[in-house]
Amino acid sequence: MKITRRLIKQLVNEELNRRPVSTRAKRLNESSLRNLVMSELRALNEEMSDEEAVEALEDRLNYDQGVADVVAFLNSDEGNDPKVREFLRSGTKDGDIPDEQMKVDTNAAPRVGDMIPTQSEIGLPNSIGYPLSKIESLKPAMASSGDPTGRGKKIITSGNHVIDGHHRWSTRYAMAGPDATIDAIDVDLPGNNADQKLAAAQIAVVAALPPGEKGVPKASAEGLVNILGKGKGAIKSALQKIYASGEAMETGEPILGDDYMKAVMGDDSIKSHFGISDDDSVDDAREKIMDMVADNLSQLKKDDSAPVRTLMPQFGGGQTHKGKVEPEDVLKVAAAGDVNYASDYNIQEEGLVIERWGKIAGILKD
């Protein structure tokens, strides 16, 4: 329904005429009321009406349609409309607060070998760059439990699906093998499959964005050397190529460099972990590390139906919304039931449009 001047006048008159004379507002004359209504009209003309927003949401936003369709809508003009975004944050106002609450377990510790990625691309340098170029990063990554970065970060999971934090998961897998566990926050996302869970997660991320923020946070897959579905030989060959090139990782250092290997050879716990003996040369040790890492990464499970990286939820804002949202923000709205994902946008407020104008104009009482 298009908001027009005629409609505003009609609604205001209906509301005034509905109430007894004794309860009608006496503070406003006709000119003051008109100014307030016209001011509201200017604001409303910049966004959809409540009815238009609900219609757009009911027609185009259902998590069971999958993540690609959900992201397409949330990036569209309709999906960026302030009124649509307002409804997405109104899950506790639909008359049934618990219906959209997502259970959040902040102390999950799944076995990495049991987890399934929900994206189709995982990069090799992204998985091994830190632990194979910075000796201080190696021990947290090769530990049997905890956070592989050593910085207290947790991945986001939903059951046995990795939702956010794929490269932290692949780092732990690469350095510690499938029996290791990883610190995680498990969210009971709605949906019968990974595609639907990702769609619901994207709605939660957008619901957690500050008002006025547009689009869906994303991360690029540009330059990603994908290893999902690759065998041990192919992965080891790629590792050897990276080593031979002397390419610097994000740490600013190459992998398995001379200084790094000197530290490896002087640490019995690292040598034992990779099966390096006292009789092994530095070259032998380097070969054993690459062999184990390649073997571990070749065991990563792959979902052939998983979407590309650019469609994946970025709980920390990704590359496009960095600093605009944090995982804690998303988890908070999810746990509270604020994420309006269930296609029921019947917000239980007293006359959505009339209440908005009426309270401003002093017509209705709180």
Short mmCIF file of all heavy atoms in Angstrom, two decimals, residues 3 11 30 39 67 91 97 109 118 122 132 150 172 193 197-198 241 251-252 308 333 335 341 363:
data_model
loop_
_atom_site.label_atom_id
_atom_site.label_comp_id
_atom_site.label_asym_id
_atom_site.label_seq_id
_atom_site.Cartn_x
_atom_site.Cartn_y
_atom_site.Cartn_z
N ILE A 3 1.93 4.98 0.63
CA ILE A 3 1.57 6.05 1.56
C ILE A 3 1.37 7.34 0.76
O ILE A 3 2.27 7.79 0.05
CB ILE A 3 2.67 6.26 2.60
CG1 ILE A 3 2.83 5.00 3.45
CG2 ILE A 3 2.35 7.45 3.49
CD1 ILE A 3 1.61 4.64 4.26
N LEU A 11 -6.51 8.34 7.52
CA LEU A 11 -6.18 7.60 8.74
C LEU A 11 -6.28 8.47 9.98
O LEU A 11 -6.79 8.05 11.02
CB LEU A 11 -4.78 7.00 8.61
CG LEU A 11 -4.63 5.84 7.62
CD1 LEU A 11 -3.15 5.51 7.42
CD2 LEU A 11 -5.37 4.61 8.10
N GLU A 30 -5.21 22.60 13.80
CA GLU A 30 -5.16 21.94 12.49
C GLU A 30 -3.80 22.14 11.83
O GLU A 30 -3.24 21.23 11.23
CB GLU A 30 -6.27 22.48 11.60
CG GLU A 30 -6.32 21.83 10.22
CD GLU A 30 -7.45 22.37 9.37
OE1 GLU A 30 -8.28 23.14 9.89
OE2 GLU A 30 -7.49 22.02 8.17
N SER A 39 5.58 16.10 8.11
CA SER A 39 6.95 15.73 8.48
C SER A 39 7.11 14.22 8.47
O SER A 39 8.11 13.67 7.99
CB SER A 39 7.29 16.29 9.86
OG SER A 39 8.56 15.84 10.28
N VAL A 67 20.60 -20.05 0.95
CA VAL A 67 21.40 -18.86 1.21
C VAL A 67 21.54 -17.95 0.00
O VAL A 67 21.58 -16.72 0.13
CB VAL A 67 22.78 -19.26 1.76
CG1 VAL A 67 23.63 -19.97 0.71
CG2 VAL A 67 23.52 -18.05 2.31
N GLY A 91 11.81 -9.91 15.94
CA GLY A 91 11.34 -11.27 16.23
C GLY A 91 10.64 -11.43 17.55
O GLY A 91 9.82 -12.33 17.72
N ILE A 97 7.40 -14.79 21.64
CA ILE A 97 8.82 -14.51 21.83
C ILE A 97 9.72 -15.74 21.63
O ILE A 97 10.76 -15.65 20.99
CB ILE A 97 9.06 -13.89 23.24
CG1 ILE A 97 8.42 -12.49 23.27
CG2 ILE A 97 10.54 -13.80 23.56
CD1 ILE A 97 8.53 -11.81 24.62
N ALA A 109 32.98 -28.02 21.93
CA ALA A 109 34.34 -28.43 21.57
C ALA A 109 34.25 -29.65 20.66
O ALA A 109 34.62 -30.77 21.06
CB ALA A 109 35.15 -28.74 22.83
N THR A 118 30.64 -25.77 5.23
CA THR A 118 29.45 -25.33 4.51
C THR A 118 29.81 -24.39 3.37
O THR A 118 28.94 -23.79 2.75
CB THR A 118 28.45 -24.62 5.45
OG1 THR A 118 29.13 -23.58 6.15
CG2 THR A 118 27.86 -25.60 6.44
N ILE A 122 38.26 -23.67 0.53
CA ILE A 122 39.14 -23.46 1.68
C ILE A 122 40.56 -23.31 1.14
O ILE A 122 41.04 -24.16 0.39
CB ILE A 122 39.05 -24.62 2.69
CG1 ILE A 122 37.68 -24.59 3.38
CG2 ILE A 122 40.16 -24.53 3.72
CD1 ILE A 122 37.49 -25.66 4.43
N LEU A 132 52.96 -22.40 9.94
CA LEU A 132 54.17 -22.85 9.25
C LEU A 132 55.15 -21.73 8.92
O LEU A 132 56.18 -21.97 8.31
CB LEU A 132 53.81 -23.61 7.97
CG LEU A 132 53.13 -24.96 8.16
CD1 LEU A 132 53.05 -25.72 6.83
CD2 LEU A 132 53.84 -25.82 9.22
N GLY A 150 45.45 -19.40 19.24
CA GLY A 150 46.06 -18.98 20.50
C GLY A 150 45.58 -17.63 20.98
O GLY A 150 46.14 -17.05 21.91
N ARG A 172 43.48 -26.14 12.46
CA ARG A 172 43.56 -27.17 13.50
C ARG A 172 43.67 -28.55 12.87
O ARG A 172 44.48 -29.40 13.30
CB ARG A 172 42.34 -27.07 14.42
CG ARG A 172 42.07 -28.22 15.39
CD ARG A 172 43.23 -28.62 16.28
NE ARG A 172 43.88 -27.56 16.94
CZ ARG A 172 43.45 -26.93 18.04
NH1 ARG A 172 42.30 -27.27 18.59
NH2 ARG A 172 44.15 -25.98 18.60
N ASN A 193 18.93 -28.52 6.44
CA ASN A 193 20.21 -28.78 5.77
C ASN A 193 21.11 -27.56 5.90
O ASN A 193 20.70 -26.51 6.42
CB ASN A 193 19.97 -29.13 4.29
CG ASN A 193 19.14 -28.09 3.58
OD1 ASN A 193 19.45 -26.90 3.61
ND2 ASN A 193 18.07 -28.51 2.91
N LYS A 197 20.43 -23.49 6.96
CA LYS A 197 21.10 -22.96 8.15
C LYS A 197 21.92 -21.72 7.81
O LYS A 197 21.95 -20.74 8.56
CB LYS A 197 21.98 -24.03 8.80
CG LYS A 197 21.20 -25.15 9.48
CD LYS A 197 22.13 -26.20 10.03
CE LYS A 197 21.35 -27.34 10.70
NZ LYS A 197 20.67 -26.90 11.94
N LEU A 198 22.61 -21.76 6.68
CA LEU A 198 23.39 -20.60 6.25
C LEU A 198 22.48 -19.41 5.97
O LEU A 198 22.82 -18.26 6.28
CB LEU A 198 24.20 -20.94 5.00
CG LEU A 198 25.36 -21.92 5.19
CD1 LEU A 198 25.98 -22.26 3.84
CD2 LEU A 198 26.42 -21.35 6.12
N LYS A 241 55.51 -26.07 -3.64
CA LYS A 241 55.57 -24.93 -4.55
C LYS A 241 55.60 -23.62 -3.77
O LYS A 241 56.36 -22.69 -4.10
CB LYS A 241 54.37 -24.96 -5.50
CG LYS A 241 54.38 -23.87 -6.55
CD LYS A 241 53.19 -24.02 -7.49
CE LYS A 241 53.20 -22.91 -8.55
NZ LYS A 241 52.04 -23.06 -9.48
N THR A 251 52.07 -13.30 7.92
CA THR A 251 53.03 -12.96 8.97
C THR A 251 54.20 -12.15 8.44
O THR A 251 54.99 -11.61 9.20
CB THR A 251 53.59 -14.25 9.60
OG1 THR A 251 54.26 -15.01 8.58
CG2 THR A 251 52.48 -15.08 10.22
N GLY A 252 54.32 -12.10 7.12
CA GLY A 252 55.48 -11.43 6.51
C GLY A 252 56.65 -12.35 6.30
O GLY A 252 57.69 -11.94 5.78
N VAL A 308 29.64 -20.91 -2.66
CA VAL A 308 30.95 -20.26 -2.76
C VAL A 308 31.19 -19.40 -1.52
O VAL A 308 30.25 -19.04 -0.80
CB VAL A 308 31.06 -19.40 -4.03
CG1 VAL A 308 30.98 -20.29 -5.27
CG2 VAL A 308 29.95 -18.34 -4.06
N VAL A 333 21.44 -11.35 19.36
CA VAL A 333 20.11 -11.24 18.76
C VAL A 333 19.53 -12.63 18.48
O VAL A 333 18.31 -12.83 18.57
CB VAL A 333 20.12 -10.39 17.47
CG1 VAL A 333 20.56 -8.97 17.76
CG2 VAL A 333 20.97 -11.01 16.38
N ALA A 335 20.13 -15.45 20.27
CA ALA A 335 19.71 -16.06 21.53
C ALA A 335 18.45 -15.40 22.09
O ALA A 335 17.63 -16.05 22.73
CB ALA A 335 20.84 -15.98 22.55
N TYR A 341 12.98 -14.48 11.40
CA TYR A 341 13.26 -15.32 10.24
C TYR A 341 12.11 -16.25 9.86
O TYR A 341 12.17 -16.95 8.85
CB TYR A 341 14.51 -16.17 10.49
CG TYR A 341 14.35 -17.19 11.60
CD1 TYR A 341 13.74 -18.42 11.36
CD2 TYR A 341 14.82 -16.93 12.88
CE1 TYR A 341 13.59 -19.35 12.37
CE2 TYR A 341 14.67 -17.85 13.89
CZ TYR A 341 14.06 -19.06 13.63
OH TYR A 341 13.90 -19.98 14.63
N ILE A 363 -2.00 12.26 19.93
CA ILE A 363 -3.38 11.82 19.82
C ILE A 363 -3.62 10.61 20.70
O ILE A 363 -4.64 10.52 21.39
CB ILE A 363 -3.73 11.48 18.37
CG1 ILE A 363 -3.62 12.76 17.53
CG2 ILE A 363 -5.12 10.89 18.26
CD1 ILE A 363 -3.73 12.49 16.05
#
